[in-house]
Amino acid sequence: MSASGTAITAGRSEGVSSLQRFTRRRSTIAFLMTLPLIAVIGGLVAYPAAYAMYLSTLNRRMTAFIGLEQFAVLLDTDTFWMVIAQSCIFAISAVFLKALIGFWLAHMLHDIPAKGQRKWRGMLLVPWVIPPALSTLGWWWMFDPSYSSINYLLNVFAVPSVPWLGEPWWARTSVIIVNVWYGAPFFMIMYLAALKSVPEQLYEAAAIDGATGFQRLRYVTLPMMRNIISITVLFSLIVTFANYDIVRVLTNGGPRDLTHVFATYAFQVGILSGNVPRGAAVSLFMFPLLAIFAFFVLRGVTRRNKEES
């Protein structure tokens, strides 16, 4: 019995060690297969970011190290503070409206039969599929003071023409409208996928308990969708903060630099004005803001995942 027990134990040990070797081999193979992706990320993301950090510490001629002086100069200018304010107003307002409209559209589509859903999904995704620069040119024509189709329709109903791109408030509103039109379908498709994953039994139980539509939304739908809502808002906020095409094509930062966001102002300072280190400093300025927001959002998602598991 002792000899047979020893043999069984040895067999188990050998099996475990073989399994461990196989697991290590699979992880090694997986790592080797991800090396091309790691190289792409390193070459297109990590290296440019590190190089931008290095550039932001140089003087205008890029011949001397000056530390954080570029950031100090930026914070001492009124224009840059306007850029910060406009970037925050633009990103927060646009993401909030995109999330709200996308949530509403997702619920509308969710209640449509499956056959009709495909048609409506395809049509509503068109704004997101069209390249932003191309679609913004169409909006620029609709906002044009001389040929504005929107103003023409307003005049038909005896409403005065709106200076969409000529006055600061309207120019900011126009940029937000175009960004919402372009980004709302992304929220719609993400929220629709999340709604499909909510078990119908939860709604049935809530209905049996006498819950109203708003109570089902508050206590069933939103708790089941909070992770996807958080991730979608985080991703959209990062992309919206870094938006370049819409502002560049529609207003080019005007009037009086009041619609500039970080990306367009970095292009103006770094490329058009020839001060590449300062442009790099502008582009890096939004990194800590987004990093802090991403930290809290991802921490909340991780905590909820642990609670659910």
Side-chain angles (χ1 to χ4, degrees):
M1 290 293 293
S2 177
S4 61
T6 304
I8 292 172
T9 303
R12 287 178 179 174
S13 301
E14 184 180 353
V16 170
S17 61
S18 301
L19 181 62
Q20 289 176 344
R21 286 199 300 270
F22 178 71
T23 305
R24 288 197 211 99
R25 187 165 63 249
R26 287 190 64 183
S27 64
T28 303
I29 293 172
F31 174 73
L32 293 175
M33 293 180 69
T34 57
L35 276 178
L37 178 60
I38 294 173
V40 170
I41 294 175
L44 299 180
V45 179
Y47 173 74
Y51 189 61
M53 293 179 187
Y54 166 72
L55 286 177
S56 66
T57 62
L58 303 178
N59 63 353
R60 179 166 187 159
R61 295 184 179 181
M62 294 185 287
T63 57
F65 176 81
I66 60 173
L68 300 178
E69 188 177 328
Q70 295 286 3
F71 295 95
V73 172
L74 285 173
L75 292 174
D76 199 37
T77 59
D78 294 335
T79 302
F80 186 65
W81 281 107
M82 285 194 302
V83 171
I84 295 175
Q86 169 58 18
S87 298
C88 293
I89 293 170
F90 168 66
I92 295 172
S93 302
V95 170
F96 174 76
L97 291 173
K98 284 186 286 188
L100 197 63
I101 295 172
F103 193 78
W104 176 72
L105 289 174
H107 272 77
M108 295 289 289
L109 283 177
H110 186 60
D111 294 332
I112 297 176
K115 186 176 181 181
Q117 259 189 46
R118 290 192 293 270
K119 176 180 66 177
W120 284 103
R121 274 202 310 262
M123 289 190 295
L124 290 171
L125 278 174
V126 168
W128 190 55
V129 174
I130 300 174
L134 184 61
S135 59
T136 307
L137 283 173
W139 279 97
W140 178 79
W141 173 75
M142 288 191 288
F143 288 144
D144 184 84
S146 302
Y147 307 101
S148 173
S149 57
I150 300 176
N151 282 342
Y152 173 79
L153 293 176
L154 292 176
N155 296 155
V156 169
F157 296 99
V159 178
S161 297
V162 175
W164 294 104
L165 306 178
E167 292 185 2
W169 192 89
W170 284 111
R172 289 171 174 172
T173 304
S174 303
V175 170
I176 292 172
I177 289 173
V178 176
N179 188 269
V180 170
W181 176 83
Y182 172 73
F186 170 73
F187 279 82
M188 176 201 70
I189 203 68
M190 295 294 289
Y191 291 167
L192 182 60
L195 282 172
K196 297 290 185 184
S197 65
V198 178
E200 287 294 331
Q201 294 85 348
L202 296 179
Y203 292 114
E204 293 172 2
I208 292 172
D209 291 337
T212 63
F214 177 76
Q215 289 173 330
R216 289 197 296 270
L217 176 67
R218 181 180 177 183
Y219 296 109
V220 178
T221 306
L222 290 178
M224 295 296 294
M225 291 179 61
R226 359 179 231 194
N227 281 350
I228 192 66
I229 289 174
S230 301
I231 295 297
T232 307
V233 167
L234 173 62
F235 177 77
S236 180
L237 192 68
I238 293 172
V239 173
T240 306
F241 256 112
N243 186 271
Y244 173 81
D245 298 343
I246 293 175
V247 177
R248 176 68 178 170
V249 174
L250 205 61
T251 65
N252 198 19
R256 302 192 304 276
D257 293 333
L258 292 174
T259 58
H260 267 307
V261 292
F262 286 119
T264 57
Y265 190 65
F267 179 79
Q268 177 175 299
V269 172
I271 305 300
L272 299 182
S273 300
N275 195 340
V276 176
R278 189 165 299 172
V282 173
S283 64
L284 289 171
F285 197 86
M286 61 182 170
F287 175 75
L289 303 176
L290 295 176
I292 293 171
F293 181 75
F295 171 77
F296 285 107
V297 169
L298 295 177
R299 188 179 68 171
V301 171
T302 303
R303 185 176 65 250
R304 286 192 292 269
N305 286 336
K306 288 181 179 178
E307 290 173 356
E308 291 173 0
S309 61

